[in-house]
């Protein structure tokens, strides 16, 4: 496949590399392009439009909905120039309404998928991701040759917007698990227990979790601080989605209060 990749950050670059290593021609752009030596399998180009020229699959791995909208429909937007049959895979976590609006603006014959990814602790060594996709099943199958290069499991979770919805559920749950686990480790330390040994034992117990496994090698507070940089946006989006749906998530809202933008 001819793949255009926009966004070469912490996750975007290694995933794009896997796609290229799988035999696909990948033209890639980022506002801060990496050195070519750090992206040996990619053709680095100077603009989103150059990356997207004649592509079969356009992948966006930028930070926010605003950036997605700017790339696709901003002053130099590339959506209108995509050929019939092209697939737009949006990896960015954001609102369900935004991805639906993006899809509504797509030219005839262009399929938009919300392709959200995550990964359990058990898969970190493999580098493989879980892919949660909302959208047309036929478009997913056409994109599968590229998706299979970096995903160990692909779930078609429903119509367009469903990928984003389940990713918001995952991320607010992850944020809650992380905060609870950090506080649990504070309790363990206060009771005279060592963090690594405690985490190693607890992951084999009823109170264990995928999040807790990270504390076997990492510092709990440092892991929480790093996650907060990314989770403020996602927890806010999940809370907004819940409020719009009229869903009471009182306990989950309370445990993730630390991720509020004003916290």
């Amino acid at each position: 496949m001819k793949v255009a990749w926009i966004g070469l950050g912490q996750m975007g670059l290694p995933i794009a590399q896997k796609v290229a290593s799988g035999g696909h021609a990948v033209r890639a752009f980022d506002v801060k392009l990496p050195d070519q030596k750090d992206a040996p399998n990619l053709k680095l180009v100077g603009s989103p439009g150059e990356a997207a020229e004649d592509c079969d699959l356009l992948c966006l791995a930028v930070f926010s909905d605003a950036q997605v909208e700017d790339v696709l429909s901003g002053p130099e937007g590339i959506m209108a120039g995509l050929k019939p049959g092209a697939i737009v895979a949006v990896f960015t976590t954001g609102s369900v309404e935004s991805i639906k609006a993006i899809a509504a603006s797509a030219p005839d014959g262009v399929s938009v998928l919300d392709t959200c990814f995550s990964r359990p602790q058990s898969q970190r060594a493999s580098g493989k991701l879980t892919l949660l996709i909302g959208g047309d099943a036929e478009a997913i199958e056409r994109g599968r040759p590229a998706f299979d290069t970096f995903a160990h499991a692909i779930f078609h979770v429903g119509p367009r917007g469903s990928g984003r919805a389940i990713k918001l559920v995952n991320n607010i749950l992850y944020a809650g698990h992380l905060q609870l686990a950090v506080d649990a480790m504070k309790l363990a330390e206060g009771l005279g227990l060592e963090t690594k040994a405690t985490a190693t034992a607890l992951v084999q117990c009823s109170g264990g979790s995928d999040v807790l496994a990270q504390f076997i090698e990492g510092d709990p507070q440092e892991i929480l601080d790093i996650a907060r940089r990314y989770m403020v946006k996602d927890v806010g989006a999940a809370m907004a989605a819940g409020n719009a749906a009229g869903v009471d998530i009182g306990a989950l809202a309370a445990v993730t209060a630390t991720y509020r933008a004003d916290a």
Side-chain angles (χ1 to χ4, degrees):
M1 299 182 75
K2 296 177 182 177
V3 178
W5 196 282
I6 313 297
L8 298 170
Q10 183 178 7
M11 293 297 291
L13 178 57
I15 299 174
Q17 289 273 63
K18 286 182 181 296
V19 174
S21 296
H24 304 284
V26 181
R27 297 162 65 91
F29 171 79
D30 193 281
V31 292
K32 296 181 179 178
L33 283 174
D35 290 336
Q36 187 66 68
K37 64 179 177 61
D38 297 321
N41 300 315
L42 308 179
K43 180 175 177 57
L44 302 178
V45 298
S47 71
E50 189 178 354
E53 185 177 349
D54 196 39
C55 71
D56 303 307
L57 172 66
L58 169 62
C59 298
L60 289 100
V62 296
F63 180 70
S64 67
D65 278 341
Q67 292 173 349
V68 172
E69 291 165 9
D70 184 59
V71 169
L72 293 177
S73 56
E76 299 181 10
I78 59 179
M79 177 80 92
L82 296 176
K83 67 185 181 183
I87 303 163
V88 179
V90 181
F91 293 92
T92 304
T93 303
S95 76
V96 174
E97 292 75 15
S98 176
I99 197 69
K100 289 181 177 179
I102 289 167
S105 69
D108 289 343
V110 173
S111 300
V112 176
L113 303 174
D114 41 315
T115 48
C116 299
F117 53 73
S118 189
R119 176 171 58 200
Q121 185 71 19
S122 61
Q123 285 291 331
R124 290 184 184 273
S126 73
K128 290 283 191 173
L129 302 171
T130 300
L131 200 53
L132 310 163
I133 308 182
D136 183 68
E138 185 272 336
I140 294 172
E141 288 307 308
R142 286 193 287 117
R144 186 177 286 272
F147 300 151
D148 280 340
T149 63
F150 61 87
H152 79 96
I154 297 175
F155 294 95
H156 181 201
V157 295
R160 192 178 299 114
S162 301
R164 286 231 172 148
I166 196 170
K167 182 62 183 297
L168 291 177
V169 173
N170 176 81
N171 281 15
I172 195 171
L173 192 58
Y174 169 79
H177 282 170
L178 183 53
Q179 185 64 64
L180 287 171
V182 168
D183 287 349
M185 290 301 98
K186 291 178 182 176
L187 173 61
E189 183 179 353
L191 296 176
L193 300 172
E194 192 271 328
T195 297
K196 180 175 180 178
T198 300
T200 300
L202 289 181
V203 294
Q204 303 294 329
C205 298
S206 59
S209 69
D210 187 70
V211 169
L212 194 60
Q214 298 178 48
F215 300 164
I216 295 174
E217 300 298 335
D219 174 74
Q221 189 61 50
E222 182 179 345
I223 292 170
L224 177 62
D225 290 343
I226 292 172
R228 186 179 286 114
R229 302 173 195 169
Y230 303 94
M231 286 294 141
V232 166
K233 171 178 70 74
D234 296 354
V235 168
M239 290 294 298
N243 290 337
V247 179
D248 180 6
I249 53 171
L252 193 53
V255 78
T256 56
T258 185
Y259 299 91
R260 290 198 315 261
D262 58 352

